[in-house]
Structure formats: structure tokens, C-alpha cells
Amino acid sequence: MKLLRLAFNHTRLDSSGGVEGYMANLLRYLLERGHSVDFFGGKFPSGLEHPNFRIVRVPYVRSPRPLRVASFAVLSHKLILREERKRPYDVIQGF
């Protein structure tokens, strides 16, 4: 099995909530199998730690909501491209 380098992108990572809970479970599953994951986001209350897991903080505007969504999209895209130039990802997934 080829080990993958993945980038996940979402405003927050938490063990509760719909998308957040799904991502936390998916991350654990992938990390247990040896894959490497960079998570691009702004809030990280889950406390997930693993040698193959790296958090990349995205400094986005918190309010108003339309500006929060737009600023996160633009800034996370720039950070992902910067990291991709250093070492390409096999998969980039936004949630």
C-alpha cells in the first residue's frame, strides 16, 4: 500500500459536530494506517496529536460571517499552494 500525503481544509477540527466529527474520525483512521495529513484550519479544540499529523493555522477574519467564509477560502488556498510547492500532496480535500 502506498502511503499518502494529504491536505485537509476546514475552519475547525473537533470531535463533536457533523462534519467536524466525521473529519476527526477519518483523520484517526488515516493516521493509524501510516498516512501523513496536514490540516489547514483556524480552530483546533480536538487535541488530536500524532507524529504524521500537522496543523497549519489559517489566520482568517472571524466576523461577519460572509467575510469569514471568503477570507478563510482565500487564505487557506494560499497556504495550501505554498506547502504544495515544497512537497506535493497526493490528495487535497476541503470540507
Side-chain angles (χ1 to χ4, degrees):
M1 170 176 74
K2 177 186 176 191
L3 295 179
L4 301 175
R5 181 166 188 254
L6 305 122
F8 282 13
N9 182 31
H10 190 63
T11 54
R12 71 186 194 115
L13 177 62
D14 202 345
S15 57
S16 65
V19 170
E20 293 84 2
Y22 171 77
M23 280 189 308
N25 290 332
L26 179 58
L27 282 170
R28 280 188 207 90
Y29 179 86
L30 292 166
L31 293 168
E32 287 171 2
R33 281 149 187 80
H35 301 291
S36 175
V37 181
D38 289 351
F39 186 88
F40 295 81
K43 293 182 182 180
F44 307 95
S46 77
L48 178 63
E49 292 184 22
H50 190 279
N52 292 340
F53 179 65
R54 184 172 73 114
I55 290 173
V56 180
R57 294 194 183 278
V58 178
Y60 64 99
V61 177
R62 303 287 176 172
S63 64
R65 185 173 175 17
L67 188 54
R68 178 178 72 214
V69 171
S71 69
F72 182 80
V74 169
L75 295 171
S76 64
H77 178 73
K78 285 182 180 182
L79 289 172
I80 290 169
L81 287 177
R82 183 186 73 192
E83 293 301 317
E84 172 106 65
R85 277 189 224 100
K86 293 177 189 175
R87 188 170 146 230
Y89 292 104
D90 296 301
V91 176
I92 299 172
Q93 178 64 54
F95 292 89

